[in-house]
Amino acid sequence: MRTGIVIGATVALLALVLILGAGDDGGPNAYVVIGIATGAIYGLVALGLVLVYKGSRVFNFAQGEFGTVAAFTVFVLMEQVRSVDIPYWAALPAGLLVAVALGLAMERVVVRPLMNSPRITLLVATIAFALLTVGVEIVLFLPEAKVLEPLIAATDASGNPNGVEIFNYILEPQNIIIVGVLALLAVVLGYFFSKTDLGLAVLATSQDSFATRVVGIGVERTSRFIWGTAAFLGGLAGILYVPISGSLTPGAMTSGILIPAFTAAVLGGMTSLPGAFLGGIVIGCVQSLANWAGNTYTLTIDDVVKPLQSIIPGLPDVAIIIVLLLVLLIRPQGLLGSEA
Amino acid sequence: MTASATEVMEAPGPTLEAERWSPSAGGWTARLLVLAAIFGGVIWVTAIVPNYWADRISLAAIFAIIGLSLNIVLGYVGQVSLGHHGFVGIAAFVAAYYATEKAGCSLDACSFGTFMTATVVAALSGAVVAMLLGLIALRIKGLYLALITLAYGFVAERSIFEIPFLTRGGAGMPATRPDGWGTDREFAFLCFFFLAAVIFVDWRLLRSKVGRAILAIKHSESVASTYGVNVTSYKVLAFILSGIFAGIAGSLLAFRAETVVSNDFNFAIALLWVLMVVVGGLGNRVGVIIGSAFFALFPFLIVLIGPLDHFIRDTLGREPDYFTIVIGSALAILTIIQYPGGIGEQVSPITRWLGGKRFSLHAEGHGGHKPKEAKAAKPATGGLLAKVGLHNEDGTERSDEALAALGRAVERPASHDPGPPPDVWGALVGGKKKGDER
């Protein structure tokens, strides 16, 4: 019920922006489209964060790195293995597999020994694991930018764009794939957690691991499952996002993505999978619209007309943090959060 | 807390130790000699090494200040700050801005007075930004506060460090080293001076009413407030103090680099700072200093081992710097899972001995190589901190446990049985793990 109202209100709000900006060249329309496209990635990473939070009650700082590792695996298989020509459809599952393996390793090495420690301890441990991964990436691949090809090339052989044009903004095929994957995952995972036995076992573990053990549910198994799935989602986000971000560097999915994704998860309620989806889209649009406002509106200082963006550098990122602060101070349970 | 209560609470600590055992005149001399050897050794090494090394040693001293700053938030208050690069970076820019734009330092001359004023201004700016975060920390705790600090660092990185008049349009704000302290070696000694000042303030403060109040708040906010501790102001005060230390460190970093650029202060370095405090040992001053210096000097330790350096640079084609993150974070994971006391706990036999306690395995003092044999036999008591803990203002049941432990210690015959001391620290603070409200 509430989910429907909140989603409906958000969609109506975005539609309002689109209608008001229609026909206005340089208006906010294209920015909303960009916002939805980038927001989908935040949502995808946020899904993983929410999943881990539901299962282990901790913020997983390594969530972004699952993606970077998967992207690096695909990169190595496609670009650096010269003897065999590995196609994308084979490299992608391999990348996901490596991400899942990393997630399981992290669960075994870091999470399980600290299962009963204070959550802050586990938080610092996930930070250490994320930095360890970034460090290994730096040692292996040097701190240089690399390029990963998208699933479907952005331009065809003759140089024409492959994507769909919406409001004068050409949406790359990769963007459409991301939005589709995110929507599908949110529905599938939502079903999983409300209807299946394993899903309910995961929820039970997160609420009281001792009681869960008493009724005969393998806590270790659900924990493994949670971290494996989260790593899968993170890996998917990395492989899908890195090609449109343009560069693959060590820590690529942590430096710019993790904080907006956390904001999206908190906005969605930290425990709600549809909330993470919605939060991602909203945060993407907030960021993009702040960018638009920063470029459009001007202030006159000392008789010089300056765009807002140059007076407040990094305005889109500041907008995200303002949302985070407001949510935490005013509505800590988020849009769709509940204790489950 | 009344005066009489203070006396009652304070009485057991020092007197108990004094009655049990106290080093002879020779023992004290040996301790003083070892202390002098340690401090003299550090200064001597700084004085004779090449300039390039002295530069790195000054970084180690600055990292130690940052470590102590984080230690207040992480070890004493029990909250995680992932945005310390914000504190340090803003202070660095403020110091450089003041020195170059306001006090008119040129690129080759800057008076010592200007440097000191710039450092004070930087410390104040650090205090202000930390106070804002402290006010937020009153309402949001635990994991969510960690997120807020992270977001705060993100804003600093993406917005504040990009303000054109601070960064000179991205080129960096110059900060000329003060006259007379211009070389790397001289500057390293200047950093030592500030580190000593910070250690002194941290030490005295933790043993004062303020320090006891802050530790009591970490232990339990509600109990502390019941005993009349003003939780709100002490918590904010702890953040302000952390900000002041971070501000000093920021100013030193600015003058060390001589040009402040925003790239120096990023998300990864803030996380590394948190890990170095964890590796050093939360709430353990000596451990934090050693841990921070280790993280700063790590690439140098590789260079010291010639064949390893050769292997990394020439065979692998990698910089030793790259391995700081790998080894540092691996150490942090190991510390969290296996040795929660960190380096501080490993060296605690030495620090306790230097503090005038009995050394269980090696009674005669010749510093250096003892901890290897000693650490297995030594329980994690932490004499200094235990004494501090004794002065806690709260009177919870854990305190009663601690008093009971003390009681047992008093009953035990003093002269023989140097066996494991009672776990006073554990009983008082409730384990070595970081506090969490959840």
Side-chain angles (χ1 to χ4, degrees), chain B residues 84-130:
Chain B
H84 242 63
H85 63 303
F87 296 179
V88 176
I90 287 174
F93 276 113
V94 166
Y97 181 79
Y98 174 81
T100 307
E101 298 281 338
K102 293 288 169 197
C105 283
S106 66
L107 282 181
D108 41 33
C110 187
S111 76
F112 187 72
T114 307
F115 164 77
M116 291 304 280
T117 322
T119 307
V120 170
V121 173
L124 286 179
S125 69
V128 170
V129 286

Side-chain angles (χ1 to χ4, degrees), chain A residues 53 57-59 61 109-110 113-114 117-121 123-125 127-129 131-132 134-136 138-143 254-256 258-260 262 266 270 310 312-314 317-318 320-321 324-325 328-329 332, chain B residues 74 78-80 82 136 139-140 142-148 150-152 154-155 158-160 162-164 267-268 271-272 274-275 278 316-319 322-323 325-327 329-330 332-333 336-337 433-436 438:
Chain A
Y53 189 78
R57 294 280 146 183
V58 71
F59 293 166
F61 273 79
V109 175
V110 175
L114 297 173
S117 323
R119 295 297 91 177
I120 286 281
T121 310
L123 177 83
V124 175
I127 291 173
F129 192 86
L131 267 190
L132 179 66
V134 174
V136 170
I138 291 177
V139 168
L140 289 180
F141 300 103
L142 303 172
T254 300
S255 54
L258 197 64
I259 293 169
F262 267 127
V266 169
M270 210 62 225
S310 71
I312 311 170
D317 298 317
V318 175
I320 291 182
I321 302 311
L324 176 68
L325 255 183
L328 285 183
L329 289 174
Chain B
L74 212 63
Q79 303 290 347
V80 177
L82 303 176
I136 294 173
R139 298 203 55 183
I140 300 169
L143 296 179
Y144 286 93
L145 180 67
L147 205 54
I148 291 278
L150 183 72
Y152 166 76
F154 189 65
V155 166
R158 295 292 175 99
S159 184
I160 298 173
E162 301 293 332
I163 297 174
F267 175 48
L271 299 187
L272 207 62
V274 171
L275 297 188
V278 170
L316 295 180
R318 302 291 188 261
E319 292 289 322
Y322 297 169
F323 289 85
I325 298 184
V326 178
I327 303 293
S329 40
I333 293 175
I336 293 170
I337 292 171
K433 287 181 182 116
K434 280 143 284 175
D436 188 10
R438 286 167 174 272

Side-chain angles (χ1 to χ4, degrees), chain A:
Chain A
M1 182 61 192
R2 191 155 56 99
T3 311
I5 293 173
V6 173
I7 291 178
T10 314
V11 170
L13 207 65
L14 287 179
L16 193 68
V17 175
L18 289 177
I19 291 165
L20 288 179
D24 179 7
D25 205 28
N29 272 352
Y31 285 90
V32 171
V33 177
I34 300 170
I36 293 174
T38 44
I41 274 298
Y42 300 153
L44 203 52
V45 178
L47 271 188
L49 293 172
V50 166
L51 197 64
V52 166
Y53 189 78
K54 277 167 108 77
S56 298
R57 294 280 146 183
V58 71
F59 293 166
N60 178 19
F61 273 79
Q63 186 65 32
E65 279 322 286
F66 294 148
T68 322
V69 167
F72 266 116
T73 312
V74 174
F75 171 80
V76 166
L77 288 178
M78 303 243 315
E79 311 284 334
Q80 293 195 327
V81 179
R82 291 263 174 250
S83 50
V84 202
D85 196 19
I86 300 174
Y88 217 121
W89 58 261
L92 193 143
L96 292 177
L97 209 65
V98 171
V100 171
L102 186 73
L104 292 178
M106 179 177 176
E107 196 273 334
R108 183 68 196 82
V109 175
V110 175
V111 178
R112 200 165 327 151
L114 297 173
M115 220 171 215
N116 299 317
S117 323
R119 295 297 91 177
I120 286 281
T121 310
L122 188 50
L123 177 83
V124 175
T126 68
I127 291 173
F129 192 86
L131 267 190
L132 179 66
T133 320
V134 174
V136 170
E137 284 160 11
I138 291 177
V139 168
L140 289 180
F141 300 103
L142 303 172
E144 298 163 353
K146 297 177 172 60
V147 176
L148 187 67
E149 294 299 313
L151 280 172
I152 302 170
T155 52
D156 57 22
S158 52
N160 296 320
N162 253 342
V164 184
E165 189 180 320
I166 305 173
F167 299 117
N168 299 327
Y169 178 75
I170 298 160
L171 212 54
E172 287 178 28
Q174 189 89 359
N175 281 327
I176 300 166
I177 294 173
I178 291 172
V179 177
V181 165
L182 176 67
L184 185 72
L185 279 172
V187 171
V188 168
L189 288 172
Y191 174 82
F192 171 79
F193 276 108
S194 53
K195 296 288 188 283
T196 64
D197 283 352
L198 185 55
L200 292 174
V202 168
L203 285 188
T205 314
S206 75
Q207 284 171 3
D208 188 336
S209 82
F210 179 72
T212 313
R213 209 186 288 265
V214 168
V215 296
I217 293 168
V219 173
E220 268 99 29
R221 198 173 62 112
T222 54
S223 170
R224 259 202 305 277
F225 172 80
I226 281 282
W227 285 85
T229 316
F232 176 84
L233 293 176
L236 204 57
I239 295 174
L240 290 177
Y241 176 69
V242 164
I244 48 173
S245 81
S247 74
L248 176 59
T249 49
M253 295 295 289
T254 300
S255 54
I257 302 291
L258 197 64
I259 293 169
F262 267 127
T263 310
V266 169
L267 178 64
M270 210 62 225
T271 50
S272 160
L273 291 164
F277 172 87
L278 194 69
I281 300 288
V282 170
I283 292 298
C285 289
V286 164
Q287 189 182 29
S288 189
L289 287 174
N291 195 10
W292 167 76
N295 290 336
T296 309
Y297 292 103
T298 54
L299 276 181
T300 311
I301 297 176
D302 300 338
D303 295 330
V304 183
V305 180
K306 288 178 171 178
L308 214 53
Q309 191 96 273
S310 71
I311 298 164
I312 311 170
L315 188 63
D317 298 317
V318 175
I320 291 182
I321 302 311
I322 290 174
V323 172
L324 176 68
L325 255 183
L326 289 181
V327 172
L328 285 183
L329 289 174
I330 297 168
R331 199 180 157 82
Q333 72 273 37
L335 290 177
L336 299 174
S338 58
E339 274 309 303

Side-chain angles (χ1 to χ4, degrees), chain B residues 113-249:
Chain B
T114 307
F115 164 77
M116 291 304 280
T117 322
T119 307
V120 170
V121 173
L124 286 179
S125 69
V128 170
V129 286
M131 187 179 79
L132 294 179
L133 201 60
L135 291 174
I136 294 173
L138 295 175
R139 298 203 55 183
I140 300 169
K141 295 187 185 72
L143 296 179
Y144 286 93
L145 180 67
L147 205 54
I148 291 278
T149 60
L150 183 72
Y152 166 76
F154 189 65
V155 166
E157 199 180 324
R158 295 292 175 99
S159 184
I160 298 173
F161 298 166
E162 301 293 332
I163 297 174
F165 71 82
L166 274 184
T167 60
R168 292 213 163 160
M173 177 62 78
T176 313
R177 286 184 192 171
D179 301 333
W181 302 91
T183 68
D184 290 336
R185 197 186 316 283
E186 286 160 353
F187 195 74
F189 285 120
L190 197 58
C191 293
F192 279 149
F193 166 73
F194 278 100
L195 175 61
V198 164
I199 292 173
F200 181 77
V201 170
D202 188 53
W203 172 50
R204 289 320 303 168
L205 203 85
L206 195 70
R207 304 192 86 182
S208 72
K209 183 183 167 194
V210 177
R212 296 192 297 271
I214 290 171
L215 287 179
I217 291 168
K218 178 192 176 183
H219 183 49
S220 164
E221 276 185 30
S222 45
V223 172
S225 66
T226 317
Y227 275 76
V229 176
N230 189 339
V231 172
T232 312
S233 44
Y234 279 118
K235 224 169 163 182
V236 176
L237 188 70
F239 270 89
I240 290 176
L241 192 70
S242 175
I244 290 175
F245 288 178
I248 293 172

